[in-house]
Amino acid sequence: MTTTSTPRRAAAAAFIGTTIEFYDFYIYAFAAALVLGPLFFPGDDPVLSTMAAFGTFAVGFIARPFAGLIFGHLGDRLGRKKMLLFTMVLMGLATAGIGLLPTYAQAGIWGPIGLVALRFLQGISVGGEWGGAVLMASEHAPKRRKVFFASFAQWGSPAGLLLALIAFRAISSMDQESMMTWGWRVPFLMSAVLMLVGLFIRFGVPESPEFAEVKENKQTVKNPVLDVIRGHWRQILFAAAAVTIGSAGFFFTNTFMITYVTQYQGISRSTILDCLFLVTVLQFISQPCSALLSERLGTGRFLTAVATLCILVPYPMFLLVQTGNLFYMTAGITLAVVLLSALYAVIAGYMAEAFPPQVRYSGISIAYQLCCALTGGMTPLVGTWLAGHFAGQWWPLALFFSFLALLSLIGVLGLARLRATPHENRSIARPEVAIP
């Protein structure tokens, strides 16, 4: 039986689980920006070396749509909890494996091949994790609090980023030789310990009551992925567009920005890491506040306003970053991150309500992972290319950020229109058992 404490436990488990998953994902992002290029893709041109490292970063995003299809199907068939336990084990093993990999100097081409393979497994894990974490939190929640409780899964992103920043800030204080020899491995190896903590917490949370009801009433569908694509493809496309700036924007500010300020503005690595740490602390504080505010204002209205502001925010951000001053840099990036994280906090629960429970895991997973594959993984690559092609000019980068935010605004407006139509009036997934 579900008790009044179960929604809180489910939200806490979603938060802690996604914190660990995103820690694993973000430490790869930082490693790609700081060390993986010379270690696994040595060359005379540092820009090409960095782009090669970011290419392996993008591999994790290419894997995520496949994971959305696979785990969406299994999550709608077998349950949310089983998928969350499996993805946590997969992520922990893949991340710890990266920490044990030989470099190019030690193993030649097998080092980069192993890196790409393990990065692909990281992408599979995150691609399957996200939808289940959101649904375990939202489907346990009271009816009018689903968006807020779903935001706890999103809250794991800044928490994981804080852990990753602390880890890489610690090793960045090492001398260059020690960091490049063994120090970079430590954050990856820590994942094995975090995996055990996450498994212990998730075992204690029961299956989602909404899925349990679907299962009990024999309303699961045989092919949820096919059914959701056939009957809810518009929701998938608009949801994928809506989450764009909430996904790609973080990798713009937290991954590409490290490369931009260190390689093109001569700002020290420790300075930008300190800046991002302060920004992420403020994001961690503001994100649940944004979810609460959206409940008061109305989620559709709130998301429309935030997406519009995200179109405008990169211009003051870059003007402040150009100063090279830690205070002004922090203020500029914080302004952008607080806005895009406000959308990110709310969009998960908003998306989930656009799909019926029989195909909900599949629907939100396909939408979110499609967005991540098309925009999230490519954002640092596109940003690095723009910065190199338009050296000394920030406005092409700002326009790129605005374009990502415009996609989110279009998606939010389209999703709002579709959500206004009750599920029973749409193409509902067919039950697995035939009705005579």
Side-chain angles (χ1 to χ4, degrees), residues 39-125:
L39 286 174
F40 289 90
F41 306 97
D44 296 330
D45 189 338
V47 174
L48 292 178
S49 182
T50 301
M51 288 192 71
F54 278 146
T56 64
F57 177 72
V59 166
F61 288 89
I62 294 170
R64 289 172 69 165
F66 297 103
L69 293 171
I70 295 167
F71 287 98
H73 173 87
L74 295 175
D76 283 325
R77 292 277 296 159
L78 305 178
R80 288 54 163 134
K81 180 176 177 177
K82 292 176 182 176
M83 298 305 103
L84 292 179
L85 295 174
F86 179 80
T87 54
M88 178 151 286
V89 172
L90 182 63
M91 176 62 95
L93 294 178
T95 306
I98 293 173
L100 298 173
L101 271 180
T103 63
Y104 185 88
Q106 295 167 327
I109 192 65
W110 292 108
I113 289 174
L115 186 68
V116 170
L118 291 172
R119 178 58 180 172
F120 189 83
L121 291 180
Q122 274 195 324
I124 291 288
S125 175

Side-chain angles (χ1 to χ4, degrees), residues 22 126 298:
F22 277 108
V126 171

Side-chain angles (χ1 to χ4, degrees), residues 84-297:
L84 292 179
L85 295 174
F86 179 80
T87 54
M88 178 151 286
V89 172
L90 182 63
M91 176 62 95
L93 294 178
T95 306
I98 293 173
L100 298 173
L101 271 180
T103 63
Y104 185 88
Q106 295 167 327
I109 192 65
W110 292 108
I113 289 174
L115 186 68
V116 170
L118 291 172
R119 178 58 180 172
F120 189 83
L121 291 180
Q122 274 195 324
I124 291 288
S125 175
V126 171
E129 156 81 18
W130 181 84
V134 167
L135 295 186
M136 281 292 280
S138 67
E139 291 181 350
H140 273 287
K143 185 174 182 179
R144 297 184 181 276
R145 307 302 309 279
K146 290 185 177 295
V147 168
F148 175 69
F149 276 80
S151 73
F152 277 76
Q154 306 292 72
W155 205 20
S157 177
L161 180 55
L162 282 174
L163 290 180
L165 282 166
I166 291 170
F168 268 88
R169 186 65 182 88
I171 66 168
S172 70
S173 62
M174 302 169 61
D175 63 88
Q176 184 73 3
E177 183 180 356
S178 296
M179 187 180 77
M180 299 298 285
T181 303
W182 60 269
W184 68 273
R185 300 180 183 275
V186 175
F188 289 96
L189 295 175
M190 282 295 297
S191 176
V193 178
L194 295 175
M195 175 187 72
L196 296 176
V197 174
L199 286 174
F200 175 78
I201 292 168
R202 282 190 166 169
F203 265 116
V205 180
E207 179 58 86
S208 150
E210 290 190 35
F211 176 79
E213 182 180 355
V214 167
K215 192 81 172 175
E216 183 179 352
N217 294 334
K218 299 184 180 344
Q219 292 178 332
T220 56
V221 295
K222 186 175 182 179
N223 296 300
V225 169
L226 292 178
D227 280 10
V228 78
I229 292 174
R230 185 184 297 116
H232 305 274
W233 61 270
R234 293 179 183 85
Q235 288 92 316
I236 291 174
L237 292 179
F238 280 122
V243 79
T244 298
I245 196 62
S247 173
F250 282 123
F251 294 104
F252 189 102
T253 57
N254 298 330
T255 304
F256 163 71
M257 196 62 77
I258 296 175
T259 300
Y260 176 73
V261 301
T262 54
Q263 290 191 6
Y264 298 98
Q265 292 190 273
I267 296 170
S268 71
R269 183 170 53 206
S270 60
T271 297
I272 185 59
L273 288 175
D274 287 341
C275 170
L276 290 178
F277 181 81
L278 294 172
V279 169
T280 307
V281 169
L282 294 172
Q283 178 196 345
F284 184 78
I285 295 170
S286 70
Q287 201 163 296
C289 298
S290 297
L292 287 171
L293 182 61
S294 74
E295 286 189 340
R296 293 179 177 273
L297 299 179

